[in-house]
Amino acid sequence: MKKLLFILGILISVTFSAQVLEEDNYDNYTSENIGDYTDGTTPGQGDMYLDGGSLSDYQIVETDEEHGKALQITGSGTTSSTGRTVYKSDLKDKWEQREPENNILAVSIDIYTSDYSSDRFIGSAIIDQNGHEIVGIYYDNSTRQPFIVSWVYAPTWEHFTNLNLFPDLKPTYFPENTWITLAYTYDHETGETNYYLNGDCFYTVPNPELPYYEGVPGLIPSRHEIRNVALPFSTTGDELAAIVDNYKIEAIKKDLGTEDLVSPNTSLTTIYPNPVKDVFRVKLSDKFGDSNVKVIITDFSGKIVKQFTANAESYDISDLTTGVYLVTFDNG
């Protein structure tokens, strides 16, 4: 039987003052239905609640070597009642327990674009205690563009708006069958929201070109929902088996470099697969540049058991005994 080596990665060259409120990469779950109920009453694996559809619509699936296991949500149809939603229940409590200065909520999620052509989208939204979207971002599967929503204030009403309706927003098209990272932030003090594609901010609310729309401060995040839903006014709601991975929700300080927290495809160093069977690979953060980086593996007594230079295609640890190890990346 192959040995299983659980590895924890620590990037010591880049540190941030931020609180992780909720995150998941699905790697520790069983590849099967993730729950026993779909009415939002009883949690399944990882304390995930399911809302809508049938149990077979919510699966843990194997993807590629880098992403490992991921969450697949399947839906079809053109009405709002065909929506599929996954969420956890304690975001509000964690937000209220955050450090006083960490007033920006930052959310990122990896989405696989696939090659479907259904009028449905997959994405992420922060919901308040009344079930309203504070802020969110989705991947529009029919146009292969991001679809964003925000709670804004106009002169006579408060409402949600799909900012893609405005002609000045021209987001990037994405190729089929690839992973992208969508992210967004909400400033609890000012109501400002920012939206990111693979780490690059492409839209901000309020926007000088929309002078009558203002961000709404003080909204309380109650939960984070991952959704597979029909597009407004959709006409072809063919089945969409949407896949997501590596979501993270953080509370950060206003003066922190937000881009560093919402672009996991470029700003974080990752180890995969994790857990490891004999051999692992490393994807280094862009922050290391061209510097020489050492990969140091220690046990939890602090003893160095392996050391590599981070320029190899893969790293063999088959001679180590089964256990939990710490990986440090050091560029001096």
Side-chain angles (χ1 to χ4, degrees), residues 10-15 266-270 282-295 310 327-332:
I10 291 184
L11 180 60
I12 64 171
S13 295
V14 182
T15 58
T266 59
S267 68
L268 295 184
T269 290
T270 56
V282 171
K283 183 177 180 181
L284 279 178
S285 165
D286 291 348
K287 294 180 177 299
F288 280 118
D290 297 327
S291 60
N292 294 321
V293 179
K294 293 180 180 179
V295 181
V327 177
T328 301
F329 298 90
D330 183 6
N331 69 346

Side-chain angles (χ1 to χ4, degrees), residues 269-305:
T269 290
T270 56
I271 300 171
Y272 62 96
N274 189 4
V276 178
K277 295 179 180 179
D278 295 340
V279 174
F280 70 93
R281 291 177 171 82
V282 171
K283 183 177 180 181
L284 279 178
S285 165
D286 291 348
K287 294 180 177 299
F288 280 118
D290 297 327
S291 60
N292 294 321
V293 179
K294 293 180 180 179
V295 181
I296 304 169
I297 302 177
T298 58
D299 60 23
F300 272 76
S301 71
K303 178 184 177 182
I304 296 177
V305 294

Side-chain angles (χ1 to χ4, degrees), residues 45-251:
Q45 294 190 63
D47 292 327
M48 289 183 282
Y49 288 84
L50 315 179
D51 190 0
S54 62
L55 292 175
S56 60
D57 293 331
Y58 306 91
Q59 300 281 323
I60 300 297
V61 298
E62 296 283 350
T63 60
D64 53 42
E65 186 176 34
E66 181 174 350
H67 281 264
K69 292 179 181 178
L71 171 64
Q72 177 177 282
I73 307 175
T74 303
S76 62
T78 60
T79 64
S80 59
S81 62
T82 65
R84 307 286 184 263
T85 303
V86 176
Y87 62 90
K88 298 185 181 183
S89 63
D90 56 355
L91 179 60
K92 182 175 182 290
D93 291 341
K94 291 181 178 179
W95 173 257
E96 292 177 343
Q97 295 166 10
R98 73 192 187 281
E99 294 296 325
E101 296 181 351
N102 291 349
N103 285 317
I104 294 181
L105 189 72
V107 183
S108 65
I109 187 169
D110 288 354
I111 293 177
Y112 191 68
T113 61
S114 74
D115 55 2
Y116 293 87
S117 59
S118 173
D119 280 354
R120 295 182 69 86
F121 56 51
I122 179 71
S124 158
I126 296 295
I127 311 301
D128 71 8
Q129 62 268 31
N130 298 313
H132 299 148
E133 289 176 297
I134 296 175
V135 59
I137 188 167
Y138 301 86
Y139 174 72
D140 180 339
N141 204 72
S142 62
T143 66
R144 307 199 182 286
Q145 294 177 287
F147 179 104
I148 61 180
V149 292
S150 180
W151 179 264
V152 297
Y153 179 75
T156 57
W157 71 92
E158 289 182 348
H159 67 162
F160 301 111
T161 179
N162 168 23
L163 296 175
N164 294 56
L165 298 176
F166 295 103
D168 60 318
L169 180 57
K170 299 177 181 179
T172 304
Y173 288 88
F174 288 98
E176 298 177 354
N177 300 319
T178 188
W179 286 98
I180 60 173
T181 299
L182 299 180
Y184 52 89
T185 61
Y186 169 72
D187 189 325
H188 185 259
E189 293 184 325
T190 67
E192 179 182 287
T193 54
N194 292 279
Y195 304 88
Y196 300 82
L197 301 174
N198 292 335
D200 296 324
C201 183
F202 69 90
Y203 205 81
T204 298
V205 178
N207 188 298
E209 297 182 15
L210 300 172
Y212 298 108
Y213 291 84
E214 300 175 1
V216 180
L219 300 175
I220 304 299
S222 178
R223 67 175 182 257
H224 169 250
E225 294 188 352
I226 300 173
R227 297 171 167 178
N228 177 341
V229 293
L231 294 170
F233 315 113
S234 63
T235 58
T236 58
D238 296 334
E239 181 177 277
L240 170 64
I243 300 176
V244 301
D245 197 12
N246 297 334
Y247 84 85
K248 180 181 289 188
I249 306 170
E250 295 175 281

Side-chain angles (χ1 to χ4, degrees), residues 4-63:
L4 205 58
L5 298 132
F6 293 87
I7 288 190
L8 305 176
I10 291 184
L11 180 60
I12 64 171
S13 295
V14 182
T15 58
F16 299 112
S17 176
Q19 292 172 264
V20 176
L21 306 180
E22 185 179 308
E23 64 180 333
D24 215 331
N25 62 12
Y26 310 107
D27 286 339
N28 294 324
Y29 300 144
T30 303
S31 298
E32 58 182 21
N33 295 350
I34 63 175
D36 296 323
Y37 297 90
T38 60
D39 56 4
T41 60
T42 303
Q45 294 190 63
D47 292 327
M48 289 183 282
Y49 288 84
L50 315 179
D51 190 0
S54 62
L55 292 175
S56 60
D57 293 331
Y58 306 91
Q59 300 281 323
I60 300 297
V61 298
E62 296 283 350
T63 60

